[in-house]
Amino acid sequence: MMSRTMAEAQLPKRVDAVKLVTVGQQFSADIDSKQLTRLNEAVEDCVAPVHCEIRFERDQEKHRLLQGSCNTSVVMICQRCLGNVTIPVESSFQLGLVFDDDQAKQLPKRFEPVEVDENGQLDLWSVMEDEVLLALPMFPTHPEGDCQFKQPESKPETTDSDDKRPNPFDVLAKLKQK
């Protein structure tokens, strides 16, 4: 079966996933990252659209699959210096399209289940947003050496023999002499 490819364009928000699996549809498209509310709440700024390369297909065991990758760039707070850092975000995925929990349990472990509605409809933007959110680093930092954080220089401890501290046990020594 020949697969169909959609030219570079805006990725459709909602699709008939079952039909797209049947025809072997492929997409190479973008999502305006400003439209992804949860992603915008998780980062300081989205500086690039989410580019998606995806294909709908069946595997050898006849499971309905959504496979591909997505990438974007976001600005997050560096956890070392608390300045802004631009992070490239990339995710590859193999998702099994299921109608219910029973089908999800039947999927091989290598596939993450994604539930479609009773009509086979899938919110594609939401799935791609999930993939980007899962790929965000837990502790974003600048690359080593690029961080603006400057640690204070540690001063070696110096003992000045001129500064004699009173021995706290001198009181006990005096008591012992009595």
Side-chain angles (χ1 to χ4, degrees), residues 4-94:
R4 297 176 9 178
T5 303
M6 185 174 194
E8 293 264 342
Q10 177 90 0
L11 192 70
K13 182 167 177 46
R14 199 155 176 79
V15 296
D16 184 341
V18 174
K19 182 179 177 183
L20 295 180
V21 166
T22 303
V23 298
Q25 183 70 51
Q26 296 182 27
F27 290 99
S28 177
D30 292 338
I31 302 172
D32 179 5
S33 55
K34 301 293 184 195
Q35 304 275 335
L36 303 176
T37 308
R38 293 178 297 141
L39 178 60
N40 280 283
E41 290 172 356
V43 300
E44 292 299 303
D45 191 21
C46 296
V47 293
V50 177
H51 181 73
C52 305
E53 297 279 338
I54 58 176
R55 64 186 178 280
F56 291 85
E57 61 189 13
R58 284 194 184 266
D59 67 356
Q60 293 174 344
E61 299 164 2
K62 303 295 183 201
H63 296 109
R64 290 181 188 96
L65 303 177
L66 170 58
Q67 298 189 74
S69 63
C70 57
N71 61 67
T72 188
S73 288
V74 298
V75 175
M76 298 181 79
I77 299 294
C78 174
Q79 296 301 299
R80 199 177 299 137
C81 70
L82 301 179
N84 286 345
V85 59
T86 301
I87 306 281
V89 181
E90 297 180 11
S91 175
S92 294
F93 48 87
Q94 291 187 319

Side-chain angles (χ1 to χ4, degrees), residues 153-159:
E153 292 182 27
S154 59
K155 297 179 182 174
E157 284 190 32
T158 56
T159 55

Side-chain angles (χ1 to χ4, degrees), residues 14-18 64 96-100 103 114-123:
R14 199 155 176 79
V15 296
D16 184 341
V18 174
R64 290 181 188 96
L97 302 172
V98 298
F99 284 96
D100 54 36
Q103 282 186 350
V114 172
E115 202 166 314
V116 296
D117 70 14
E118 64 276 356
N119 298 319
Q121 296 288 311
L122 177 68
D123 184 341

